[in-house]
Amino acid sequence: MNTILITLIAISAILYLIFAIYYENKIYKFIWKPGTMILIIILAITESGLSTTFSYWVLSALVFSLIGDIFLMLREKWFIHGLVSFLIAHILYIVGFIVSFSFTFSFNIFLLVVALILLAVILLAVILYFYLFPNVRKEGGKKLLFAVAFYIIIITTMVSLAIMTGTKILIAAAFLFFVSDAILAVNKFKVRFRLADYFVMSTYFTAQLLFAISIGGQ
């Protein structure tokens, strides 16, 4: 594991949290947000050597996430473009899971636990959607409602498949991504709170870092 590169990623993420968020500096935001993702992409390449099919899917997802980050840093009119970019990233993760893992289980305690966790994730996603529903409809109408609903379905599918792989690092990465997006959505459409950006970006960077590290063992 490239500890030097991981350390640089951690430093870059911390610099973003301090200078871009705390000091609300747009220049630092444009430097450290994509900069951190670029370092994570480099880590993904060096960790895997792109020697597996899964590594290519993860790398592609990371690149689309980077594109989504850039769109979300721009004006509000680019929000939907960022949403679509992250939607594609989640789909790429989904395809990566499907082509790289076997999901055949015999009925046992592990399968029961997985089923319960999956139900909990799906229930959480449904609650989140209906919690956001009135404000999303007010802000963007039926089109935005559909886009948000579809996005929640896709990210929930991604988390569910990550859980079904039984790989701890992938489960942690997918769940943190879900948490990051959920906080972002609540902060944007429902209740704005000061610490939201810290929670969103810390869980997001950690999730993407774990995805990058995970392909080293595939």
Side-chain angles (χ1 to χ4, degrees):
M1 187 178 296
N2 193 328
T3 54
I4 295 177
L5 192 49
I6 291 175
T7 301
L8 289 175
I9 291 169
I11 292 172
S12 180
I14 292 170
L15 289 173
Y16 176 84
L17 294 176
I18 295 174
F19 291 102
I21 297 179
Y22 184 79
Y23 290 109
E24 298 181 349
N25 189 303
K26 289 186 177 181
I27 295 176
Y28 286 117
K29 183 178 181 179
F30 275 88
I31 293 174
W32 298 117
K33 190 177 185 181
T36 302
M37 279 304 299
I38 290 171
L39 288 173
I40 291 174
I41 289 171
I42 293 172
L43 177 67
I45 294 172
T46 56
E47 281 292 292
S48 67
L50 299 181
S51 58
T52 64
T53 301
F54 187 60
S55 65
Y56 281 99
W57 288 108
V58 171
L59 179 62
S60 299
L62 291 173
V63 170
F64 271 94
S65 296
L66 172 60
I67 295 171
D69 283 333
I70 294 171
F71 277 129
L72 292 183
M73 289 189 298
L74 302 176
R75 295 179 180 178
E76 184 68 20
K77 67 177 183 178
W78 296 104
F79 174 78
I80 194 67
H81 296 77
L83 187 71
V84 171
S85 297
F86 279 109
L87 181 67
I88 294 172
H90 291 312
I91 292 173
L92 291 169
Y93 279 130
I94 288 171
V95 175
F97 293 148
I98 291 174
V99 301
S100 304
F101 293 89
S102 172
F103 298 104
T104 56
F105 300 108
S106 57
F107 186 80
N108 51 32
I109 297 299
F110 172 75
L111 179 59
L112 179 61
V113 172
V114 168
L116 290 174
I117 295 174
L118 289 177
L119 286 174
V121 169
I122 293 170
L123 179 61
L124 182 60
V126 172
I127 292 172
L128 177 64
Y129 178 72
F130 284 104
Y131 176 67
L132 298 174
F133 184 94
N135 296 71
V136 173
R137 181 174 59 182
K138 182 179 179 181
E139 183 167 327
K142 292 182 180 180
K143 288 184 179 180
L144 188 58
L145 273 174
F146 175 79
V148 171
F150 189 62
Y151 187 91
I152 291 176
I153 290 171
I154 293 299
I155 193 172
T156 303
T157 301
M158 188 273 287
V159 175
S160 300
L161 287 175
I163 293 170
M164 291 172 66
T165 67
T167 305
K168 293 179 181 179
I169 192 170
L170 291 177
I171 295 172
F175 182 73
L176 285 172
F177 213 145
F178 184 93
V179 169
S180 177
D181 280 352
I183 296 173
L184 187 152
V186 170
N187 184 60
K188 177 175 176 59
F189 295 114
K190 198 72 176 182
V191 181
R192 291 193 176 274
F193 55 103
R194 182 172 177 79
L195 295 178
D197 287 342
Y198 292 100
F199 290 127
V200 168
M201 294 312 302
S202 59
T203 51
Y204 170 71
F205 283 143
T206 304
Q208 299 288 37
L209 175 60
L210 291 177
F211 274 126
I213 293 173
S214 73
I215 61 180
Q218 294 299 319

